[in-house]
Amino acid sequence: MDFMGLGISADAVSPAALCEARKAVGTTPFDSLHDIATAKHLERHQDLILHKGYRLYAVDGSNLTLHSNRKLARAFGRPRSTGKRRSPPQATFTVLELVNTGWITDYKLGRCNAGELAQSKDLTAGLGERDLLLADRLYFDPLWYADLSARLVKFLFRLNCNRYRSLTAESQRRITEQRTRGNVDCQVDLRVREAPGKKTYTILRGLRYIEIRRSGAQTLYFVTNLTVDELATSEAAELYAMRWEIETNLRYFKGQDHLPSVRSRRDDTVRQEVALHVLAHNSVRFIQSEACVNRSADNEGDNDNADNHRQPESDATNTPAKKWTAKSSRYHGPLRPVDIQFKRTVDIILGSLVDALLQPDRDTPQHWSKLLEKVVTLRIMVKSGRSYPRAGRKYKKGKPNKGNVKAQKRRAAARQKRKQAAKRKGATES
């Protein structure tokens, strides 16, 4: 408290004094801790971070629901309402994450109408050589592709089905010819506007355009600057599937049933709470990374690693095996933090902290090693024959996507009221 110049007595600190001190602190201490932790993570867990020699990143965004009050509505804005109820304030939360470890290296918190694409471009401005970026089809921007290529950043972006029209005429003809033979994988030239809104173009050469057809599923469209030696056509879909880890991580920051996920009621304290959530999330990922590194060191040279990564076998009827297997068996390489259950890890850490407080004389190194041994056993289990992310339940299962059922009911009720009002008005006029 003396170091930060808060002027609070350490003898008796009241809740009101803590609230006032929180307002004076700002987010600078949290940002400094985040930078220190990220540097330490990059140094200690480099082997887990790398994917074929590249630091594997993903970028994505979501909305955080806030408390409904005027201050937050002015600071972050409200999305359009459905029915008579006003939507609560929301903030756009865009993150840059290390895919294999689930570590949030940087993030942006802005208004609800802030563009995720612009925020993502700011987050990736520090990437350079030996970095590989994954992104969804909503992040199409030829200017961004040109900037990444100029900085020697490798990328793999998914595209919509009609984005090939942004290529040159010669490239489009090449794609049309290959489509008659099956999958498409060819070198293309992309038209890049010299500036937003300008009609003049420059040509970005040396990109790869990939189309992968799948039976019973949508065709995948990709653009990348990875060469054929660095990424085979059959590996493009597998590499892109790893991007789903960032979607799973963003769920930990969202509230359940559209309740506020951030409980603070002021602009500055909202930013503090989000910064603290990021620190807590990364702390759990750091412990999981330590557990993975410790396990790799213990099992080096034995057959345990090979057994854990063995693919599940099928029975005599050629149907997929119904037993549950570790998620880590679906990927090659060492055990990753994203293959370990997050919430169970939190429970183990909290229990270990309480145990350490009750027994302060316990041997700390031994206590730490036992904690890592427990964490590494919390594998995420999957069932063979299923697609991940799941194509059923919330997404598709022979039925349309349910979506926000509450909002749909409110809209249906509002439509019914408008129809009844129109009928009454017509009857009165007649």
Side-chain angles (χ1 to χ4, degrees):
M1 290 185 291
D2 293 337
F3 175 75
M4 290 185 285
L6 300 180
I8 302 175
S9 173
D11 298 331
V13 179
S14 65
L18 286 174
C19 291
E20 293 298 323
R22 179 183 175 185
K23 298 176 184 178
V25 167
T27 59
T28 303
F30 301 104
D31 296 338
S32 300
L33 287 173
H34 180 267
D35 294 339
I36 294 171
T38 300
K40 189 174 183 179
H41 177 64
L42 292 172
E43 178 185 356
R44 291 179 60 89
H45 309 131
Q46 189 66 235
D47 293 339
L48 297 176
I49 294 171
L50 294 179
H51 176 78
K52 294 186 177 181
Y54 291 99
R55 290 183 292 269
L56 187 59
Y57 288 94
V59 63
D60 203 358
S62 181
N63 288 330
L64 302 182
T65 305
L66 310 178
H67 268 286
S68 184
N69 60 48
R70 293 181 179 179
K71 293 181 180 179
L72 294 181
R74 286 195 300 268
F76 296 100
R78 297 177 186 265
R80 292 186 177 181
S81 303
T82 56
K84 293 184 178 180
R85 293 187 181 182
R86 298 182 67 188
S87 298
Q90 290 186 356
T92 301
F93 183 59
T94 309
V95 300
L96 177 67
E97 178 184 295
L98 290 165
V99 174
N100 287 337
T101 58
W103 185 277
I104 298 176
T105 59
D106 201 359
Y107 68 93
K108 290 280 187 181
L109 190 68
R111 292 180 59 86
C112 65
N113 56 355
E116 291 183 13
L117 177 59
Q119 291 182 334
S120 300
K121 294 171 74 172
D122 292 339
L123 291 175
T124 57
L127 299 185
E129 191 176 3
R130 309 310 301 174
D131 291 332
L132 174 56
L133 179 64
L134 307 178
D136 202 2
R137 50 189 163 188
L138 299 179
Y139 294 87
F140 177 81
D141 187 358
L143 280 173
W144 193 14
Y145 300 162
D147 178 59
L148 292 173
S149 299
R151 290 188 278 121
L152 303 180
V153 179
K154 299 294 184 179
F155 59 85
L156 176 69
F157 282 47
R158 187 178 176 183
L159 302 177
N160 286 325
C161 60
N162 60 348
R163 291 299 187 185
Y164 74 96
R165 297 174 182 174
S166 298
L167 303 174
T168 61
E170 178 62 28
S171 299
Q172 293 184 38
R173 284 194 295 269
R174 198 177 303 133
I175 292 172
T176 304
E177 293 175 0
Q178 287 199 14
R179 280 177 176 170
T180 60
R181 299 192 293 268
N183 293 336
V184 177
D185 186 354
C186 60
Q187 190 170 2
V188 295
D189 301 328
L190 180 65
R191 295 180 297 177
V192 182
R193 290 184 179 181
E194 293 182 353
K198 298 287 185 179
K199 294 185 178 180
T200 55
Y201 293 90
T202 59
I203 303 300
L204 177 60
R205 304 183 185 278
L207 296 181
R208 283 176 65 197
Y209 179 82
I210 302 174
E211 289 184 6
I212 300 178
R213 298 179 181 179
R214 301 179 298 170
S215 59
Q218 293 180 346
T219 302
L220 297 176
Y221 306 88
F222 299 108
V223 62
T224 180
N225 58 356
L226 291 165
T227 63
V228 178
D229 296 334
E230 294 170 328
L231 180 70
T233 306
S234 58
E235 297 175 350
E238 181 180 351
L239 176 60
Y240 176 77
M242 297 173 66
R243 190 205 64 86
W244 189 256
E245 304 296 348
I246 193 172
E247 300 278 3
T248 305
N249 270 346
L250 284 173
R251 293 178 185 173
Y252 299 130
F253 292 86
K254 295 182 180 181
Q256 298 295 325
D257 299 326
H258 305 279
L259 296 176
S261 56
V262 181
R263 295 173 174 80
S264 300
R265 299 173 183 269
R266 293 166 52 95
D267 175 17
D268 52 349
T269 53
V270 163
R271 298 184 183 279
Q272 286 180 345
E273 186 173 341
V274 172
L276 189 58
H277 282 179
V278 173
L279 276 175
H281 178 273
N282 285 349
S283 299
V284 177
R285 291 304 190 189
F286 190 92
I287 293 177
Q288 290 177 333
S289 300
E290 288 287 298
C292 293
V293 171
N294 185 65
R295 176 188 176 278
S296 299
D298 292 342
N299 295 334
E300 185 176 1
D302 61 17
N303 295 326
D304 180 65
N305 191 38
D307 292 337
N308 286 328
H309 292 277
R310 188 168 52 221
Q311 296 293 333
E313 298 178 357
S314 303
D315 55 18
T317 60
N318 294 326
T319 58
K322 298 301 182 181
K323 63 180 181 180
W324 292 87
T325 57
K327 176 187 171 185
S328 56
S329 64
R330 297 169 60 91
Y331 305 99
H332 301 287
L335 180 68
R336 308 173 301 168
V338 293
D339 298 328
I340 299 176
Q341 300 179 45
F342 187 88
K343 292 184 177 180
R344 289 285 304 278
T345 303
V346 173
D347 295 338
I348 293 294
I349 294 172
L350 293 178
S352 178
L353 289 174
V354 172
D355 195 15
L357 290 174
L358 295 177
Q359 303 180 36
D361 297 333
R362 173 177 289 189
D363 184 13
T364 303
Q366 185 179 5
H367 185 65
W368 172 251
S369 61
K370 287 185 177 180
L371 171 63
L372 298 183
E373 291 175 1
K374 290 181 180 179
V375 169
V376 81
T377 60
L378 305 176
R379 311 289 182 84
I380 297 177
M381 305 301 292
V382 297
K383 185 174 284 188
S384 60
R386 286 183 177 178
S387 61
Y388 293 90
R390 291 294 305 279
R393 291 187 180 180
K394 185 178 178 181
Y395 304 98
K396 296 178 182 177
K397 207 171 187 179
K399 299 179 181 179
N401 193 339
K402 291 183 179 180
N404 188 342
V405 178
K406 294 181 180 178
Q408 292 171 6
K409 289 182 178 179
R410 289 198 298 267
R411 288 194 291 268
R415 288 194 298 268
Q416 188 67 21
K417 288 183 179 179
R418 288 195 296 269
K419 289 181 181 179
Q420 294 176 358
K423 289 181 180 180
R424 288 194 297 268
K425 184 178 179 180
T428 304
E429 292 177 352
S430 62

